[in-house]
Amino acid sequence: MEFFKKTPKFDFMGRSRLFGTVSLIAVAVSLVAIFTVGPKWGIDFSGGTEVQVSFQEKATSSDVRQALARMGFGGAEVVTFGTGDSEYLIRLEAISPVTPEAAKSAEAAMKKALSGYGLSKYELSPGGDKLSLRVAKEIPIAELEKEISAAGLTVAVAQEAQAGAPRPKGDDGAEATEEESTKRCESVTCTWPYEKDRIYETNLKGVSERVMDGLRAEPFGKGAVKLRSEWVGPKAGGQLRTAAVASLAYAMLFIMLYVAVRFDFRFGPGGVIALVHDVIITLGIFTALRIEVTLTTVAALLTIAGYSINDTIVVFDRIRENMAKARERSLVAVINSAINETLPRTIITSFTTLLTVVAMMVVGWKTSIRDFMFALFIGIIIGTYSSIFIASPMVALIDRRFGKKKA
């Protein structure tokens, strides 16, 4: 397939200063937005609770939002999910229904109530949805749950705890572990022996269960079903954010090393600067549009980095070929020629990839892949631009400042 009947002869290098200035402004504006307004971190990074709910009755996002406000979850984000208007994704900043004061009071009450059973471990999960105890003497589960309720914690109902209940032995043909084979569950509590002691785990009502209780009490909420719920603590979110930044940094470092070894030192910085350019502008657009940055977004940024460097490598490879063929020509002329020769391939590849991304965006706009595809859409456009107007001119700039070779 030919995009141009003849090899184009655009003077890309002659306009490199103009496009370099445009990129510098775009990067500067993006950095200002990132460091002043700040990205809108998703619960993966900031912590919070996410609940996906399906309603049997017709419910609008406004109905759901008002119901949440009446429960004390003001500021909740309610997003239509899936097809139709009966399924929503609810995002809350809260991760636990138990306040620090209530948790401290409950711990003191439980230690007093179980003093005769040799309590050696008391652990309330950060999400406030599970209580783990380690005692020397066996306690009747009904009595234990009664003491937990008396301590001020809300025990879940059996139906809500099914998802967290252990698998029946051999239900999928797998060999049961030692813990599974000795575990006994009643109501919402499971217990099993551990060394000379006994472990008890009781499911409590977390934020998601309280949300579901409140929604089911609404006229539109009868028969509402919780499809899934997740929560991430602030500490884990911070660790994930650090890991995400590190993954991007390592990816760029190794790409630069690869390009420097594969070609020569003049090519490495240009490729990496183009990648940094792509990632910063994409993140800046996400910040300006207040689109959540999640682990999915990080995956999209890494994908953009891979796509962008692939496009850049094609141009670099042609530059290297032309440098060997025409040693008498200037490097600027060689680069200009290489960009023009690879331009049809660059346009066709980017266009067909964008068609796929747009199709997936249209089909999956109301699903969890929307942000991933939107990031790819932006990244492919910017990556194509940077491989032509940023990476290649940087090779000429570095050669002019530090190079020892002539084309």
Side-chain angles (χ1 to χ4, degrees):
M1 182 177 179
E2 292 184 356
F3 196 84
F4 298 104
K5 291 185 178 180
K6 296 181 180 179
T7 302
K9 295 182 179 179
F10 299 117
D11 185 14
F12 292 105
M13 295 302 292
R15 295 175 174 82
S16 60
R17 286 180 181 273
L18 170 65
F19 288 106
T21 304
V22 171
S23 288
L24 277 176
I25 294 172
V27 169
V29 171
S30 297
L31 287 174
V32 169
I34 291 168
F35 287 104
T36 55
V37 179
K40 184 180 179 183
W41 301 110
I43 67 166
D44 296 339
F45 298 129
S46 63
T49 302
E50 192 172 85
V51 187
Q52 187 178 340
V53 184
S54 176
F55 292 96
Q56 304 295 319
E57 306 290 335
K58 185 178 180 181
T60 66
S61 58
S62 177
D63 293 334
V64 177
R65 202 171 286 111
Q66 289 176 13
L68 292 168
R70 285 193 288 275
M71 293 177 224
F73 298 116
E77 185 177 350
V78 180
V79 181
T80 306
F81 202 81
T83 57
D85 295 326
S86 61
E87 197 172 315
Y88 292 94
L89 188 65
I90 299 170
R91 295 191 179 102
L92 308 166
E93 292 182 357
I95 62 170
S96 173
V98 184
T99 64
E101 294 76 18
K104 192 173 180 181
S105 173
E107 181 177 358
M110 287 298 296
K111 285 181 176 177
K112 183 178 180 181
L114 302 181
S115 59
Y117 291 93
L119 178 65
S120 58
K121 176 187 174 184
Y122 173 96
E123 184 177 328
L124 180 64
S125 69
D129 58 354
K130 185 168 289 187
L131 177 63
S132 300
L133 302 170
R134 182 174 173 177
V135 294
K137 296 181 182 177
E138 187 168 354
I139 313 170
I141 287 179
E143 182 181 337
L144 175 63
E145 292 182 355
K146 186 177 177 181
E147 293 293 349
I148 292 172
S149 298
L153 301 175
T154 306
V155 178
V157 296
Q159 185 179 7
E160 292 168 341
Q162 284 179 356
R167 296 179 305 165
K169 180 181 178 182
D171 60 350
D172 57 358
E175 188 70 22
T177 64
E178 183 178 352
E179 180 183 309
E180 288 174 335
S181 63
T182 56
K183 186 177 283 186
R184 175 167 58 85
C185 296
E186 292 178 22
S187 180
V188 295
T189 300
C190 290
T191 179
W192 63 92
Y194 180 77
E195 296 179 348
K196 295 181 179 179
D197 296 327
R198 197 156 190 90
I199 302 294
Y200 287 84
E201 278 191 358
T202 301
N203 288 296
L204 306 176
K205 276 195 174 182
V207 170
S208 62
E209 285 75 24
R210 297 199 176 200
V211 166
M212 291 307 300
D213 284 350
L215 292 177
R216 287 173 184 141
E218 297 290 334
F220 59 85
K222 187 178 180 182
V225 178
K226 181 177 74 175
L227 300 179
R228 69 178 178 91
S229 66
E230 298 173 1
W231 63 266
V232 178
K235 186 176 180 181
Q239 291 172 343
L240 285 173
R241 195 161 56 213
T242 303
V245 173
S247 67
L248 286 170
Y250 282 127
M252 292 180 186
L253 174 64
F254 286 115
I255 286 172
M256 183 171 70
L257 290 175
Y258 167 76
V259 175
V261 172
R262 180 74 173 78
F263 298 91
D264 65 44
F265 80 95
R266 292 172 293 179
F267 291 83
V272 170
I273 288 171
L275 291 186
V276 174
H277 165 276
D278 300 345
V279 170
I280 289 176
I281 294 180
T282 303
L283 194 56
I285 292 174
F286 264 58
T287 302
L289 298 179
R290 306 311 293 157
I291 299 173
E292 278 196 346
V293 178
T294 63
L295 286 175
T296 304
T297 311
V298 175
L301 293 176
L302 289 170
T303 306
I304 291 168
Y307 180 88
S308 179
I309 196 64
N310 179 62
D311 213 26
T312 302
I313 289 293
V314 171
V315 180
F316 282 0
D317 205 38
R318 185 59 60 92
I319 293 173
R320 189 178 58 172
E321 287 179 13
N322 289 350
M323 286 170 67
K325 291 177 184 175
R327 295 181 181 279
E328 72 284 356
R329 298 174 65 191
S330 70
L331 182 59
V332 170
V334 169
I335 293 174
N336 216 27
S337 174
I339 296 174
N340 277 293
E341 289 170 10
T342 56
L343 188 61
R345 179 262 175 205
T346 301
I347 293 175
I348 291 171
T349 304
S350 300
F351 179 69
T352 52
T353 309
L354 277 176
L355 283 181
T356 306
V357 171
V358 169
M360 293 185 71
M361 282 176 66
V362 172
V363 174
W365 186 252
K366 291 185 177 181
T367 68
S368 57
I369 68 170
R370 177 187 59 187
D371 293 350
F372 180 81
M373 302 315 297
F374 184 65
L376 283 188
F377 179 80
I378 297 170
I380 289 170
I381 294 173
I382 298 174
T384 304
Y385 163 87
S386 68
S387 66
I388 297 173
F389 295 107
I390 303 299
S392 301
M394 282 302 301
V395 175
L397 178 64
I398 292 170
D399 180 77
R400 194 160 54 243
R401 295 288 179 89
F402 309 104
K404 297 177 182 177
K405 298 178 181 179
K406 291 184 179 179

